[in-house]
Amino acid sequence: MKKPEVFEFFRRLAEANPAPETELEFGNPYQLVVAVALSAQATDVGVNKATRALFARVETPQQMLDLGEDGLKEHIKTIGLYNTKAKNVIAAARLLVDEFGGKVPQNRDALERLPGVGRKTANVVLNCAFGQETFAVDTHIFRVGNRTGLARGKTPLAVELKLEKMVPAPFRQGAHHWLILHGRYICKARTPECWRCPVADLCAYKPKMPAPRSRSSAVRAAG
């Protein structure tokens, strides 16, 4: 995809959704760190259900330590891999208290020191909590980047670096949100809904998926 097409790609997504944001619920940067760490191999909907009661009680790393690992597990036991995630969240809270004064750092290297926090999680926190222009490549963005031709790469890092190079200034802060939402609701993994895609004519994916026939049409055809 050439740069003018990339601009038009994001212009259309921005027109449809001028203020995109993460679907994870959080009240401060620390809660976002926890929510994103819990979201690995889980849905945002499932994480939100588990964290509403948790975040009503826990707003800081010290409060998480006071809750303890067993207390945390009671809140997040509906989330996959909750035992491992609980250990990481408590260990991360300890590090934040001991080395960062209970504050979430605003740089990627420091964030990646936290247990359970990788590059993708760090990028989400930097973007959503601190307004930095980062590109958090999850499975949706990896798929959309490769399928559309927007940012092809064999690894999430390769796609991220391509986005870093290609996404124009007006769209950099919201880009990963638009791509995640596009992948989640339109450019789906098994059957992309090309018939209602606002950027289908800019996309390299072929053949484009046609709209499914309505049930009434199918009945008439069968008759």
Side-chain angles (χ1 to χ4, degrees), residues 31-59:
Q31 290 181 340
L32 179 61
V33 170
V34 174
V36 181
L38 294 177
S39 70
Q41 300 182 47
T43 66
D44 289 357
V45 171
V47 171
N48 290 337
K49 287 181 179 178
T51 58
R52 284 176 192 135
L54 174 65
F55 289 165
R57 180 171 178 179
V58 174
E59 296 182 1

Side-chain angles (χ1 to χ4, degrees), residues 1-10 150 201-202:
M1 198 177 292
K2 304 298 183 183
K3 286 194 174 182
E5 295 171 317
V6 173
F7 187 96
E8 179 63 13
F9 184 98
F10 284 105
L150 172 68
D201 60 309
L202 302 172

Side-chain angles (χ1 to χ4, degrees), residues 28-220:
N28 61 38
Y30 175 63
Q31 290 181 340
L32 179 61
V33 170
V34 174
V36 181
L38 294 177
S39 70
Q41 300 182 47
T43 66
D44 289 357
V45 171
V47 171
N48 290 337
K49 287 181 179 178
T51 58
R52 284 176 192 135
L54 174 65
F55 289 165
R57 180 171 178 179
V58 174
E59 296 182 1
T60 68
Q62 184 59 58
Q63 289 174 340
M64 186 65 78
L65 294 176
D66 294 341
L67 178 64
E69 187 174 324
D70 289 340
L72 175 58
K73 286 180 182 179
E74 283 301 307
H75 283 281
I76 67 170
K77 60 187 178 183
T78 56
I79 299 174
L81 306 175
Y82 75 94
N83 284 311
T84 298
K85 290 176 180 179
K87 286 183 171 60
N88 284 336
V89 168
I90 294 297
R94 173 56 63 194
L95 189 63
L96 285 170
V97 168
D98 290 348
E99 298 194 26
F100 296 99
K103 301 294 185 182
V104 176
Q106 298 188 36
N107 69 82
R108 185 184 290 117
D109 289 342
L111 283 168
E112 288 191 61
R113 289 183 57 201
L114 302 176
V117 175
R119 186 179 181 93
K120 184 195 76 172
T121 298
N123 281 339
V124 172
V125 173
L126 293 174
N127 181 277
C128 299
F130 302 118
Q132 296 186 28
E133 295 177 350
T134 58
F135 304 91
V137 179
D138 68 351
T139 56
H140 296 299
I141 294 182
F142 186 78
R143 179 177 69 255
V144 171
N146 279 284
R147 179 184 277 168
T148 64
L150 172 68
R152 288 198 169 107
K154 294 183 178 180
T155 65
L157 179 58
V159 171
E160 178 187 336
L161 295 178
K162 187 67 69 67
L163 290 170
E164 181 71 41
K165 179 181 178 181
M166 294 295 292
V167 178
F171 310 113
R172 295 179 68 81
Q173 188 171 343
H176 95 260
H177 296 295
W178 283 310
L179 294 176
I180 288 172
L181 295 171
H182 190 65
R184 184 173 289 164
Y185 297 113
I186 295 179
C187 196
K188 299 176 181 179
R190 292 188 178 181
T191 307
E193 298 182 1
C194 304
W195 66 89
R196 65 185 192 92
C197 174
V199 293
D201 60 309
L202 302 172
C203 171
Y205 180 74
K206 294 179 180 178
K208 298 291 192 286
M209 298 299 295
R213 293 189 301 172
S214 67
R215 185 174 180 181
S216 59
S217 296
V219 170
R220 285 196 301 270

